[in-house]
Every structure is written in structure tokens, then in C-alpha cells.
Amino acid sequence: MSMDVAPRLETDALLDDPQTRIVVCCGSGGVGKTTTAAALGVRAAERGRKVVVLTIDPARRLAQSMGIDALDNIPRRVAGVGDDNGGELHAMMLDMKRTFDEFVEAHADPERARAILANPFYQSLSAGFAGTQEYMAMEKLGQLRARDEWDLIIVDTPPSRSALDFLDAPKRLGSFLDGKFIRVLMAPAKVGGRAGMKFLNVGVSMMTGTVSKVLGGQLMRDVQTFAAAMDTMFGGFRTRAEATYRLLQAPGTAFLVVAAPERDALREAAYFVERLAADRMPLAGMVLNRVHGSGAEQLSAERALAAAEILAMADAATEPATQPEPEPEPDTEPEPDASDSANPDDGQENLADGGFVDRDSGKAQARNPSAADPDVSPTSADTSAERLAAGMLRLHAERMQVLGREQRTHDRFTALHPEVPVAQVAALAGDVHDLTGLRAIGDRLAVPVERPQRAG
């Protein structure tokens, strides 16, 4: 009885659908999420879509793969992609601080904007405050969608489980910037002097005094100055974050969970699936990268190991018949065998670089003793072939064991989430570093990996 099979994720149908406007790739680190996002962008553009890929991952692989010297906060056109079908591919890498600066410049008058950008607390906040990267990713996504210059936006989220901070952090940061704590800190700076002290009650004065001792007086003043300058913008943070959050929930958005056929990666994938369902985010399916295969899957690991054992035993049985080569006498050379001239290939040696050397010239010695030394048993070549075959069978057995482990891990995920469509991407021989590699990934996304049915 065959194992249950997950429904197939039809990536081409997803990319071709004009109603699909945003694709968000999320997943743990090291599973090929950035490469998947880039490959989807290339494939969609070559199928006629006008695409922009937004990556938040700090690695520069996306730029290298797309032949762009450097990605920045402005979408850059990727040459040679989609031209034949009217599509376009643009790519960009989120500059968290620049996006925050743009937000300030767009929502404050020039004088106030300069004061905010020069504030030490703001500089620290925009450079690395917890949640800022994810908030600004949401902000940039909202900007791209509002411009309506592209009919498909593909987002590559940060690695690891914190990828779902893409959903959480904007709420947290918006709540912080729009919350009571900041407004309490802001009150002395807004009111100022004795009027401020009259305005604040004793409890607030004690609280701000305690915070000042903990944070330091200068930092406290920087926070208060920042809060006063940002006063007119506070409401906008939460409002914009909530608007983008609703955009992610809306029809036209599709989440893809990216994973590898490994236990930890699929455990994280299950967490993402459950979390997206809890937040009512539209999950399109899962992309399972680096799935191994074999051209001889009908030969099981057990049968391969048994055959290797038989060959090893046969090799061991012929070992005593092979006599050790006698030590040559000093200053003597063995006479060449008369049969050497019978075969034109016997007078040559295959070198490591693929060339040949004439052995009769004395420049090289024979590597194959059975071809030149009459004292070596003629069964040596057969024994070598048996050893080689046994080694190949053992390698095949190891590959089949990997395939079995991957399939069992995938089966456990499918048993927990049978409703999640899956696209399996066959492993490539090397790393993806150019458009050709991205196209190969796109082709594999569209073609299912064949796996044998297992009897139960």
C-alpha cells in the first residue's frame, strides 16, 4: 500500500495568475530561501510578469546570481530576463536605515526631519533596534505595492524562526513608538520647565526619574527630544503597520514556506504553517529544496549492500592466489615481456592529465602490473573490478539510505499537514551563482521529483 502523497504545488500556475500580486518566502536559515525567491522572480519575469524581488537577507548572493554589482534600497533592472515575453525583473536589498530615513522625510517637515535624523536615539533605533528591520521591510513592501509599478512583488524574509517577526515586530515597534511609555517620556520635553513639573503628577515624576537613573541622563534627554520631534508621526507607525498586515492577509498574497528535507528544517516549516494559519495568512504551499534522487531507485540499499558483500567475499577468496612481487636485484631492470609489442596500447601509460607516455623510452613505468609483469596473477584486474563494483554498490546504498531518511521526514510532515501542497526541487550538483542556475531551480520547481511508491 503506497504512502500518502502531499498535493502538488503548481508554482507556474501561481506565478501566472494575474491575481497573485505578492509572494512571501519564509523559512529557517540555510534552506535556500533567497535562491528560491530569486528563481521565482526569474521564472515569473520570463513568463511575462513585471516582477520586483525584495530581499532582506544580508547575504549578497542574490546580487551575484543576478549579475548586479550591488543591490540597494532602489529596485534595479536585471538585464536579459523576460525580454522575449514582455516581462521584467527588478531586484533590491532592503536598507533598513535608509527606509526609516525615507519614512521620516516623507512625514515630517524639513526642519523637524533634520532634528530627528540627527538625534542619537533615532540613529540607534534606525540602525538596529529590535523589530526595526522587519517593520521597515513591511514599510518597503507597502511602498512598492502603493507605487503599482510591478504586478508581482516577491519578498525574501530574514532567516530562522525570526522570519515570522516579519508579522510580529511591526506591531511591537508600532506599539512602542505609539505607546504610553514614549508619551510619558515625551511629556517633560513637550511641556518643559516648571510648567512641565506642574503638569506631571508625583508618580510620573518618580517614574521618569528612575528611568533616567537606569538609562542615563543623556540617553533620557535624547529619548525625550526624539519623542517630541516624532510626536506628529507616532500615529502613522501603527496605522501603516496595520495596513500592510492587512495587505498580507488579503487575496492576491501568497506565502511559501521554504524548507529542506531535514528533520529540523521541516519542524520549523511545520511551525511556520501553523503560525500562518493562526494569523489567517494565505499559505500557498511549501517548497522542499535539495531533494536527492537516484537513477537506480529500484535497487534498494539492502540489496546493494548484499551484492557488495558477495563481491567482497569473492575478492577475498582470490587474494591468496596473488603472490607478492619479488624485490628486484640491485642495478637490474626486469626484461620487457615479448607480448608488449602485440598490443599497441601496452607501450603507453595513461597519465593523470589525460596524456600518454611511451614506456619504451624509459620515461615512465607501467601502473598496471598485470599488463607488464608476468609474475603477477592475471586475476588482479578482475579483483580490482570486483572491488570497484563493491565500492559503487556501497555508495549507492548510502544514497538510498539518504533518500529513505528524507522521504520518512517528509512523510511525517505530510501526516501532520496533509493539506499543504508541496513542490520538491531536485538537488543541484553545485551552488547557484548565476542566472543559468536560477533558471535551473525554476525548472525544477515546475517539474515534480519522481519518487518510487513504497509498499507497506
Side-chain angles (χ1 to χ4, degrees):
M1 182 174 171
S2 63
M3 300 292 295
D4 292 335
V5 179
R8 167 74 189 166
L9 170 62
E10 301 294 341
T11 54
D12 281 351
L14 177 69
L15 297 176
D16 291 345
D17 186 353
Q19 300 301 315
T20 303
R21 302 298 303 274
I22 298 173
V23 173
V24 181
C25 297
C26 58
S28 57
V31 296
K33 184 164 49 61
T34 300
T35 301
T36 298
L40 288 169
V42 171
R43 191 165 185 88
E46 294 188 335
R47 297 175 72 85
R49 302 294 298 270
K50 190 173 181 181
V51 189
V52 59
V53 177
L54 166 63
T55 181
I56 308 169
D57 191 291
R60 297 283 168 176
R61 290 169 297 171
L62 181 63
Q64 296 167 357
S65 296
M66 294 185 171
I68 301 175
D69 292 336
L71 293 180
D72 54 23
N73 217 39
I74 300 173
R76 305 289 180 183
R77 177 79 182 269
V78 180
V81 178
D83 297 342
D84 295 338
N85 295 317
E88 293 182 12
L89 177 62
H90 301 250
M92 62 178 297
M93 180 177 290
L94 178 73
D95 184 330
M96 177 178 64
K97 186 179 188 310
R98 183 60 206 147
T99 302
F100 209 154
D101 291 350
E102 291 172 353
F103 180 88
V104 171
E105 291 166 351
H107 294 87
D109 59 77
E111 183 178 354
R112 180 167 293 193
R114 283 193 297 272
I116 294 171
L117 298 179
N119 183 272
F121 179 75
Y122 168 79
Q123 293 173 358
S124 175
L125 177 72
S126 61
F129 194 81
T132 306
Q133 183 185 55
E134 289 79 9
Y135 183 96
M136 290 306 138
M138 297 273 273
E139 172 66 20
K140 182 56 70 175
L141 172 59
Q143 290 177 9
L144 293 173
R145 186 66 182 87
R147 286 167 61 178
D148 205 28
E149 293 183 22
W150 300 274
D151 55 29
L152 179 61
I153 303 169
I154 299 177
V155 182
D156 167 36
T157 59
S160 79
R161 182 171 288 195
S162 66
L164 288 183
D165 283 348
F166 189 69
L167 305 177
D168 290 333
K171 286 185 176 180
R172 293 200 303 267
L173 184 63
S175 297
F176 168 72
L177 293 175
D178 195 22
K180 294 179 180 179
F181 177 69
I182 282 287
R183 294 195 175 279
V184 167
L185 295 179
M186 183 177 66
K190 286 182 64 179
V191 181
R194 295 180 180 178
M197 292 307 297
K198 293 178 181 178
F199 175 80
L200 294 174
N201 60 36
V202 176
V204 172
S205 299
M206 292 177 63
M207 188 276 287
T208 54
T210 302
V211 172
S212 180
K213 291 179 182 178
V214 173
L215 298 181
Q218 183 58 50
L219 178 57
M220 184 68 175
R221 287 189 292 274
D222 291 339
V223 172
Q224 290 175 342
T225 304
F226 164 78
M230 294 284 285
D231 182 34
T232 59
M233 299 173 57
F234 280 141
F237 281 100
R238 179 178 294 180
T239 300
R240 294 174 71 87
E242 290 176 351
T244 307
Y245 193 86
R246 289 193 299 272
L247 178 64
L248 293 174
Q249 292 177 318
T253 298
F255 279 81
L256 290 177
V257 174
V258 183
E262 301 163 3
R263 184 178 60 182
D264 290 345
L266 281 171
R267 183 185 297 119
E268 291 292 286
Y271 170 80
F272 287 134
V273 167
E274 293 161 6
R275 174 63 200 281
L276 290 169
D279 282 20
R280 294 179 296 167
M281 295 291 172
L283 174 65
M286 180 175 74
V287 173
L288 193 62
N289 276 330
R290 301 169 188 160
V291 177
H292 292 92
S294 171
E297 291 183 340
Q298 67 277 10
L299 178 59
S300 68
E302 293 77 10
R303 289 172 59 197
L305 288 174
E309 185 66 23
I310 292 172
L311 288 173
M313 292 172 63
D315 181 34
T318 61
E319 192 70 27
T322 302
Q323 299 296 325
E325 183 178 350
E327 293 290 335
E329 294 294 330
D331 301 323
T332 62
E333 292 290 337
E335 291 295 328
D337 187 38
S339 64
D340 283 354
S341 60
N343 188 342
D345 291 336
D346 287 344
Q348 296 176 330
E349 180 184 11
N350 191 0
L351 297 182
D353 61 358
F356 289 87
V357 170
D358 189 338
R359 201 172 61 243
D360 291 341
S361 67
K363 293 182 180 178
Q365 295 296 322
R367 288 184 182 175
N368 186 353
S370 65
D373 194 341
D375 294 328
V376 177
S377 168
T379 62
S380 296
D382 297 334
T383 302
S384 176
E386 290 168 352
R387 290 178 181 174
L388 178 61
M392 294 296 292
L393 285 166
R394 291 190 182 99
L395 285 175
H396 174 76
E398 291 177 5
R399 170 56 65 91
M400 293 305 296
Q401 288 168 349
V402 169
L403 265 64
R405 183 167 60 250
E406 289 181 354
Q407 188 63 53
R408 289 190 298 272
T409 305
H410 184 195
D411 289 345
R412 284 195 289 270
F413 175 88
T414 301
L416 288 173
H417 300 285
E419 77 288 353
V420 177
V422 178
Q424 297 188 34
V425 181
L428 291 175
D431 292 335
V432 175
H433 55 80
D434 55 19
L435 287 172
T436 300
L438 292 176
R439 290 186 177 103
I441 293 293
D443 292 341
R444 283 162 169 76
L445 277 165
V447 177
V449 175
E450 296 295 335
R451 281 292 178 86
Q453 297 294 321
R454 294 191 293 161

